[in-house]
């Protein structure tokens, strides 16, 4: 009888619990939202996850020095790229090559 109970508990631990955890997390998705940020004379972007700010970017990333985006559209293009990376579980880092391919250069 004791052996049967241990076997049952082991079966529950190895099959039922992982399944319960999987299905309880499966329906929950992070809600990401991108918003432009006016920083006085330039633009930036902010990304929110479940209505909490996670990224605030007021300058062009991946370039040494302080270089603001030249337009709201530029900031939002980079913000969309970063948000797409987050949605795919990738690092949100932007490379100089990616910026160049989008035509974004410091003034």
């Amino acid at each position: 009888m004791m052996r049967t109970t241990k076997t049952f508990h082991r079966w529950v631990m190895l099959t039922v619990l992982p399944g319960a955890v999987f299905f309880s997390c499966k329906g929950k998705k992070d809600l990401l939202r991108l918003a432009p940020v006016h920083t006085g004379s330039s633009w930036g972007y902010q990304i929110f996850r479940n209505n909490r700010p996670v990224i605030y970017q007021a300058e062009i990333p991946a370039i040494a020095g302080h270089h603001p985006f030249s337009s709201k559209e530029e900031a939002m293009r980079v913000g969309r790229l970063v948000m797409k990376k987050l949605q795919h579980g990738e690092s949100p880092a932007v490379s100089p090559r990616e910026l160049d391919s989008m035509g974004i250069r410091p003034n």
Side-chain angles (χ1 to χ4, degrees):
M1 180 76 166
M2 187 69 146
R3 183 180 172 140
T4 306
T5 304
K6 284 184 178 180
T7 303
F8 177 74
H9 282 79
R10 190 172 291 137
W11 178 80
V12 169
M13 295 292 282
L14 294 175
T15 59
V16 176
L17 286 177
V21 169
F22 173 77
F23 285 109
S24 70
C25 295
K26 188 176 179 186
K28 296 179 183 176
K29 291 203 175 202
D30 287 338
L31 177 64
L32 294 174
R33 181 174 56 90
L34 174 65
V37 175
H38 193 255
T39 61
S41 62
S42 65
W43 288 89
Y45 65 87
Q46 192 163 10
I47 296 177
F48 297 85
R49 175 178 276 146
N50 299 326
N51 291 322
R52 291 191 174 150
V54 291
I55 295 177
Y56 175 83
Q57 189 69 49
E59 298 172 342
I60 300 173
I63 298 175
H66 301 287
H67 302 283
F69 290 99
S70 63
S71 68
K72 177 181 174 181
E73 291 73 27
E74 269 192 5
M76 294 302 283
R77 266 189 293 170
V78 175
R80 281 190 291 275
L81 172 65
V82 170
M83 198 164 81
K84 182 179 175 183
K85 288 181 173 196
L86 290 172
Q87 289 169 335
H88 289 97
E90 300 171 18
S91 166
V94 177
S95 72
R97 176 180 255 169
E98 290 170 316
L99 292 173
D100 191 52
S101 73
M102 290 188 283
I104 297 173
R105 294 171 187 86
N107 292 334

